[in-house]
Amino acid sequence: MSAIGGIIDWRGGVDSATLGAMAAAAPGFFGANGSSRNDGHAGLVRVALATTPQAVGEVQPWHDAESARTICFDGRVDNRDELRALIGSGAPPADAPDCAIVLAAWQRFGEGLLDRLVGDFAFAVWDARTRQLSCARSPIGWRPFLWAATAGGIAFATEPAMLIRGAGISRAIDEGTIGEHLSARFVTETDTLWKHVKRLPPGHLLVADAGDIRTRRWLEGPFEDFSRLSDSEHIERFCELFDQALIATARSAGPVAAHLSGGLDSSSVVCRSHDLVDAGRLAAMPRTVSARFPGEPCDEGRWIEAVEAQCGIRSQTVTGARYDWSRAANWSADTLHLPLRPNTAATIMASCDWLHANHLSVLLTGEGGDDWLTGGFAYFPDLLRAGRLPSLVRDGLSAGFGTGFAQRLRWTLSSAIGPIVSSRRRARVLRPHLDFTLAAPDWIAPDWAQRIGLVDRWREAPRPPAFARMAHEQRYAVYSLARRHMNTDNVLGYAASKGVELRHPFHDFRLTRFAMGASGGMLRRHGVRKFLLREAMRGSLPEMVRQRTDKADMSAPVYDAVADRLRERPIADLAPVRNGWIDAGRLAAIEAEHAAWRAKGATGLPPLSPYSVVWNTVALDLWLDHAAGLT
């Protein structure tokens, strides 16, 4: 992930020293190569992390003298040949960098390019003739994009430090966003922890000129309905798209690595890549890296070993070390990001450290399998409205909810009719992250919740576009999952600081569009989640992995890290408690429940109380101290 940024000043007089400060604020990119372009009204900067053959040696910001347009591009284009064919005569050569193809396609199609562009991207195009800035993000949003209004125009960047430390944007915090974070109910798409820094949501476009700054969602469908495909057609189509995604994400300037956790999704990435190598469709097998936790319930050793035996490989082991709070504090101070979660630090962070030491720059993951392939029951109302009663009854009865035929049938009909006739039931289906009474949770101080309008923030949370099919509305939420950036922007920044780009084949735009329209009965059948993936991977995955229905519980590393921190800084001393945001007694009670569970070896189901609340509070305390400088 490269870092891009810029300042637009409609009055003229962009300071090149500020561009240098923005580049310097990018978080320690390995092999970073900063460059900029300044025409007085627009200054653009890019700190390079070249991970594709075409990106090696490219010059950004990329300028086209004929059109007077300049692009800053962070990302990867996965349908390069298709785009070049659509551009037609005058298309960049086959070996052109991705940014050149995107700029040429933008000049050919304008905003219409976005529906045609497949890949992982965030970019900004400056038109010097019209003095207009256009910025866009890919549908899933694995390339951050932040912006802030300034006295003379607008500043943007992919990293918060580039705006705050580089462009001089205020460090004032946004308590409303903090309230959502501490409540573990994060819904805002545009607000950040910084009061004056906004986020361009995934699948959105920002256009700025001297008169206005405006944003809109460009990803609005429609999405094709594949629900009438047969089982075999579903499997064939999925395999075709998954293979295409694996090949696309393996395009690299050097060897590629894959994170092998032993779970169904990461194992599918590794095993299917092995099949593609055997078939001559992939040049080389990714080197695999696995995090191990000897003696802990979250250790996935036997599943990893099964994949190793299946593919005839040996995965590099990295050991999940004890969380280093000093390192986390330095990270937040340097980057202005929240500290990484301990479960992430013990897996992806450790893997990136190993990649960095071995000069590897691309890591494939299984991220996205849970999002797109788990399935749900929002398609039941669609079957009812379409008059497909046999399919509805078959799928409902096979779901297994209830002890007898009559009970399962009642549940099926209720699940189909309820969301149609009841707005409350419909909201529960389409917005599962808000499936609760709209009231502040008991660990949030009531007066503070009222002051920041916390309940109103949830009530006014953005809704997905309206589609004809309820299943499309439910699945679209994955594209706009607001809490994703709270959990991953710091991870992406850390990986980039180690010269590593994370890539996620399951989030390929072509694959996700198919998942949007796939039959709900193919995603979940007979109570088995990811049914389509399991069937598609038959013969590729070891059977013990293909048929596993559990997942590793990564709660123990989080608890251990929090316990270490609380020994140094008790709950009563945490800034969110001292500020009157969090109820210390309730937080202590949640901590005590999980301490008892951990004392028993962290086996069995953890307590129902959300331990993420304790982590969020402790992590925010550190962030307020070292990034915001407010404790």
Side-chain angles (χ1 to χ4, degrees), residues 212-461:
D212 196 15
I213 299 172
R214 52 204 177 273
T215 64
R216 70 168 181 86
R217 179 189 285 120
W218 66 262
L219 178 64
E220 295 188 314
F223 294 95
E224 192 173 352
D225 180 22
F226 299 106
S227 64
R228 293 184 182 272
L229 294 180
S230 67
D231 287 9
S232 61
E233 288 171 329
H234 268 91
I235 293 168
E236 180 181 2
R237 182 66 174 148
F238 174 83
C239 288
E240 174 189 343
L241 292 170
F242 188 42
D243 290 351
Q244 183 181 53
L246 289 170
I247 293 169
T249 52
R251 178 169 64 102
S252 173
V256 172
H259 182 250
L260 174 60
S261 70
L264 181 61
D265 303 328
S266 70
S267 298
S268 294
V269 169
V270 171
C271 290
R272 194 67 179 182
S273 295
H274 180 261
D275 293 346
L276 290 172
V277 171
D278 280 352
R281 299 181 60 197
L282 200 61
M285 182 68 188
R287 297 179 65 179
T288 56
V289 55
S290 302
R292 296 290 303 270
F293 303 86
E296 292 286 359
C298 57
D299 189 70
E300 297 271 77
R302 65 192 187 103
W303 312 104
I304 295 168
E305 291 163 6
V307 173
E308 289 176 327
Q310 177 89 355
C311 298
I313 60 174
R314 186 70 176 174
S315 189
Q316 172 66 41
T317 295
V318 294
T319 302
R322 199 79 174 186
Y323 196 74
D324 188 335
W325 281 99
S326 295
R327 187 180 184 187
N330 291 335
W331 162 257
S332 288
D334 291 343
T335 67
L336 308 186
H337 278 299
L338 284 167
L340 276 69
R341 292 178 64 88
N343 52 340
T344 303
T347 53
I348 296 297
M349 189 174 174
S351 298
C352 288
D353 288 348
W354 178 79
L355 264 71
H356 173 73
N358 287 273
H359 308 292
L360 298 171
S361 61
V362 172
L363 180 64
L364 307 183
T365 82
E367 162 70 37
D370 286 343
D371 293 323
W372 291 109
L373 301 174
T374 295
F377 302 108
Y379 75 101
F380 279 14
D382 298 336
L383 293 177
L384 180 63
R385 287 188 291 200
R388 298 173 61 185
L389 296 182
S391 296
L392 172 62
V393 173
R394 180 199 64 211
D395 288 1
L397 294 179
S398 71
F401 288 89
T403 57
F405 174 84
Q407 192 174 15
R408 292 200 301 272
L409 183 60
R410 281 195 300 271
W411 174 84
T412 300
L413 295 177
S414 174
S415 299
I417 298 171
I420 296 175
V421 301
S422 167
S423 59
R424 185 181 180 87
R425 289 284 300 276
R426 183 182 180 90
R428 190 178 301 162
V429 169
L430 297 181
R431 307 172 79 198
H433 56 293
L434 290 180
D435 186 10
F436 45 70
T437 302
L438 282 178
D442 60 5
W443 58 83
I444 297 292
D447 57 340
W448 183 60
Q450 184 174 8
R451 178 166 64 83
I452 64 176
L454 190 56
V455 171
D456 289 338
R457 292 177 70 93
W458 294 326
R459 185 177 290 114
E460 297 164 6

Side-chain angles (χ1 to χ4, degrees), residues 106 114 123-125 133-137 145 154 156 200 204-207:
W106 181 267
L114 298 173
F123 67 81
V125 174
L133 177 73
S134 301
C135 309
R137 288 183 76 192
F145 194 96
I154 183 174
F156 68 89
L200 182 64
H204 278 63
L205 172 75
L206 179 151
V207 178

